[in-house]
Amino acid sequence: MATFSKRDVLKASLMATVGASVAARGQGQTPSGAGDLEIPKGRFAPTMQSLSQYETPDWFRDAKFGIWAHWGPQAVPGQGDWYARFMYVPGHPYYDHHLKTYGHPSEFGYKDLIPLWTADRFDPDALMAKYAAAGAKYFVSMGVHHDNFDLWNSKHHRWNAAAMGPKRDIVGAWKAAAKRRGLRFGVSEHLGASYTWSYPNHLFDQFWPKLGIDYDGADPRYADLYHDNRNEPFRNTPASWYTTNPAYHRTWFKRIRDLVDSYEPDLLYSDGGLPFGEVGRSLVAHFYNSSIRRSGKLEAVYNCKDTGSGEFDKQAVVQDVERGVLSGINPRPWQTDTSNGDWFYNKNQPYKSPREVITMLADIVSKNGNLLMNVVLYPDGSLPPESETLLAELAAWMSVNSEAIHGTRPWRVYGEGPTETAAGMFAEKADYTARDIRFTTKGNDLYAIVLGEPAGVTEITSLAKDHGGRPVRHVQLLGERGRISYRQTDRALVIDVPKRLPSRHASVFKIGFA
């Protein structure tokens, strides 16, 4: 079988979608492409050369922590992520669950699951109050997942939450609640890969008693939900993530532009690389230019991943790393996205502890990153006990220690200690000790965040005299009113730790210099 490089795939996609590329004409260029692919002129044009002039806005660099509602109809079965795909894959636990709970996918398909997502306990204002108290400075709503169901009042797609299921504009409700709490607002789109991802719904059982009977995805009446894809399966390779079908590129562009234009988000997240060549770049250029037209300066953040699928340029976007981190201090702001449990509610999956989340946050911020944390919701829009506990403990920790997180910048080293999280996607587990310390700075102050529970003394070798450490003039334990004794030796800054600590999970020493 012939093999194709990433460049070959991107070239084919571009040629099929908008014809031969047009040389860049400088800033303010209107992209090539007909009709619904055109965007108004602005500072950014749909070329990587133009988009690479992007600078991350200060609000994102200061925010450090955001909360995501990775939520939708796939939460209903309580089985977790990718249910809309794996319910059509015999042998997968989701297929077995679906068969026992709802019936065969030729008779009860994903379309029939959507009405069961009523979100009848969804109270965005009450939730947003908890998110803000937990230290979130931005909130991201799911816009559309791979299941091809829009969570807003979509102009171009009848399968949307305002028309069915909750019969409510979920994105709009989230935005209103976020703005009332003073949080920046974002949306996520996972639509690019949907065309190939949904392929199994067009298949059929290979065994009795339903041998050869089409699943409901093969019914042409529902092609706008299930796509018309019968020849492009998703194989989890860069070349199979994004279809080269030009009609679908236009569909993606119209729907995501509708999402951007209707809700004017501060942040747009794509699950994967920037899709569809010039079509995707046109959308991002429009997103950036629209932000400038509204506020007079660029306030927009576009997140995508360096996964080999689609395009990626670290100068043009804010890099997102799914369930993982970058190594060391990255010179440009970046983001980890993860969840406190499965991406959608999963009654069988364990949850991260508050300690895991807080230490992960400290590690990421010390490396110039942000943490976007999905907080799992039940299908009805309420919080599982584990999510309630996480938010409550984050709120308690932030009430004492938030100054070491929000508005900070990296120090000359990100930290010290024996434990390091492996770099890359899906590598977020770390068992930190009291010797693991992460550093942040604000003004002339240095914050040393101890990731384990300190006792007796804490030694910070990065502040030893013989390491060129500046003379320390005061040490404060955040949340502690009493004086903290310390001594700066040739080996370390040695801090005497009080017997009672003012916060759980990670204590923060604020250090001032001569």
Side-chain angles (χ1 to χ4, degrees):
M1 183 175 68
T3 59
F4 300 93
S5 68
K6 178 182 175 184
R7 177 177 293 181
D8 293 331
V9 173
L10 292 170
K11 182 177 179 181
S13 174
L14 175 59
M15 293 295 288
T17 307
V18 295
S21 62
V22 178
R25 300 176 192 137
Q27 300 296 325
Q29 173 189 7
T30 299
S32 63
D36 53 16
L37 296 184
E38 291 187 355
I39 59 172
K41 292 182 179 180
R43 181 193 304 176
F44 291 94
T47 66
M48 278 301 180
Q49 181 181 7
S50 177
L51 294 176
S52 66
Q53 306 306 306
Y54 174 79
E55 290 292 337
T56 309
D58 287 340
W59 77 258
F60 185 81
R61 299 188 69 200
D62 291 338
K64 303 303 180 187
F65 182 51
I67 285 179
W68 191 7
H70 195 290
W71 183 52
Q74 290 179 92
V76 170
Q79 300 298 297
D81 198 22
W82 282 35
Y83 188 88
R85 174 180 169 86
F86 287 131
M87 61 169 278
Y88 293 102
V89 179
H92 194 280
Y94 292 3
Y95 175 92
D96 296 337
H97 173 86
H98 195 84
L99 204 64
K100 294 173 185 176
T101 309
Y102 305 109
H104 193 265
S106 64
E107 300 162 353
F108 191 104
Y110 189 65
K111 70 181 187 307
D112 304 297
L113 198 67
I114 290 171
L116 304 182
W117 185 50
T118 59
D120 51 294
R121 295 182 63 193
F122 175 48
D123 184 345
D125 285 303
L127 290 167
M128 204 63 63
K130 293 182 178 182
Y131 298 160
K137 296 299 183 182
Y138 59 109
F139 173 83
V140 177
S141 167
M142 174 72 71
V144 51
H145 199 250
H146 303 318
D147 64 346
N148 197 29
F149 184 75
D150 292 349
L151 269 61
W152 73 95
N153 189 14
S154 178
K155 295 182 176 69
H156 305 292
H157 194 51
R158 66 178 172 128
W159 301 92
N160 70 76
M164 57 186 73
K167 295 185 178 178
R168 185 172 179 182
D169 182 350
I170 299 296
V171 173
W174 278 128
K175 179 183 178 180
K179 292 303 180 183
R180 280 192 284 270
R181 285 283 167 180
L183 274 65
R184 293 281 184 161
F185 178 70
V187 290
S188 67
E189 71 85 12
H190 310 241
L191 186 61
S194 178
Y195 191 84
T196 59
W197 185 88
S198 292
Y199 176 82
N201 63 48
H202 292 77
L203 302 179
F204 45 82
D205 284 0
Q206 305 293 315
F207 46 84
W208 297 104
K210 299 286 189 180
L211 174 64
I213 297 176
D214 286 338
Y215 302 146
D216 69 326
D219 191 328
R221 292 178 296 172
Y222 310 114
D224 51 347
L225 175 64
Y226 295 123
H227 306 300
D228 59 357
N229 176 20
R230 289 181 174 273
N231 58 5
E232 289 189 80
F234 175 86
R235 295 187 177 93
N236 199 28
T237 63
S240 70
W241 262 78
Y242 295 137
T243 178
T244 58
N245 182 337
Y248 187 69
H249 296 185
R250 291 191 291 271
T251 295
W252 175 88
F253 182 91
K254 287 192 298 183
R255 282 167 59 187
I256 303 307
R257 179 173 178 175
D258 174 38
L259 178 62
V260 167
D261 288 352
S262 297
Y263 300 91
E264 299 180 341
D266 301 297
L267 181 148
L268 173 64
Y269 165 109
S270 285
D271 187 12
L274 174 57
F276 309 141
E278 189 173 2
V279 174
R281 294 194 302 271
S282 295
L283 191 283
V284 174
H286 177 63
F287 178 52
Y288 289 168
N289 291 336
S290 297
S291 172
I292 295 169
R293 282 193 293 272
R294 284 195 305 272
S295 65
K297 61 180 180 178
L298 180 55
E299 294 281 87
V301 172
Y302 176 67
N303 295 139
C304 70
K305 300 173 182 174
D306 185 11
T307 58
S309 59
E311 292 182 294
F312 177 80
D313 185 315
K314 64 183 179 182
Q315 306 293 328
V317 304
V318 174
Q319 182 175 359
D320 181 89
V321 183
E322 182 174 348
R323 291 191 184 271
V325 300
L326 297 180
S327 60
I329 298 173
N330 201 58
R332 299 182 67 87
W334 57 281
Q335 177 180 271
T336 288
D337 75 279
T338 190
S339 178
N340 72 319
D342 204 337
W343 286 116
F344 291 100
Y345 170 62
N346 185 340
K347 62 185 69 174
N348 304 309
Q349 174 123 339
Y351 288 78
K352 288 182 176 68
S353 68
R355 179 180 180 272
E356 286 179 286
V357 173
I358 289 168
T359 55
M360 179 186 300
L361 173 64
D363 179 61
I364 290 166
V365 171
S366 74
K367 297 171 180 174
N368 205 28
N370 284 24
L371 174 60
L372 177 62
M373 172 64 63
N374 174 54
V375 175
V376 174
L377 290 170
Y378 280 138
D380 64 9
S382 62
L383 291 162
E386 296 87 349
S387 292
E388 289 273 19
T389 298
L390 172 63
L391 292 172
E393 297 216 21
L394 276 169
W397 190 86
M398 286 289 187
S399 69
V400 175
N401 300 298
S402 63
E403 68 174 274
I405 300 295
H406 301 132
T408 62
R409 297 292 183 267
W411 193 41
R412 57 181 174 85
V413 294
Y414 70 85
E416 64 182 52
T419 311
E420 175 58 272
T421 306
M425 295 175 64
F426 309 111
E428 60 184 356
K429 185 72 174 176
D431 295 319
Y432 293 113
T433 73
R435 292 169 56 204
D436 292 301
I437 298 171
R438 295 296 180 263
F439 300 115
T440 63
T441 64
K442 186 185 295 179
N444 294 320
D445 294 318
L446 174 69
Y447 298 93
I449 307 171
V450 183
L451 303 186
E453 186 168 338
V457 297
T458 289
E459 296 186 350
I460 304 176
T461 59
S462 299
L463 291 173
K465 286 182 179 180
D466 65 359
H467 285 184
R470 294 164 59 192
V472 172
R473 284 294 175 260
H474 67 83
V475 176
Q476 174 190 355
L477 175 61
L478 295 187
E480 173 67 29
R481 293 185 178 182
R483 295 185 64 181
I484 300 296
S485 61
Y486 67 90
R487 52 207 169 274
Q488 192 174 19
T489 72
D490 290 338
R491 186 169 55 86
L493 174 66
V494 183
I495 303 172
D496 294 321
V497 179
K499 291 183 178 180
R500 291 188 178 183
L501 298 172
S503 58
R504 299 179 63 191
H505 309 305
S507 296
V508 181
F509 294 101
K510 181 178 181 179
I511 300 163
F513 301 96

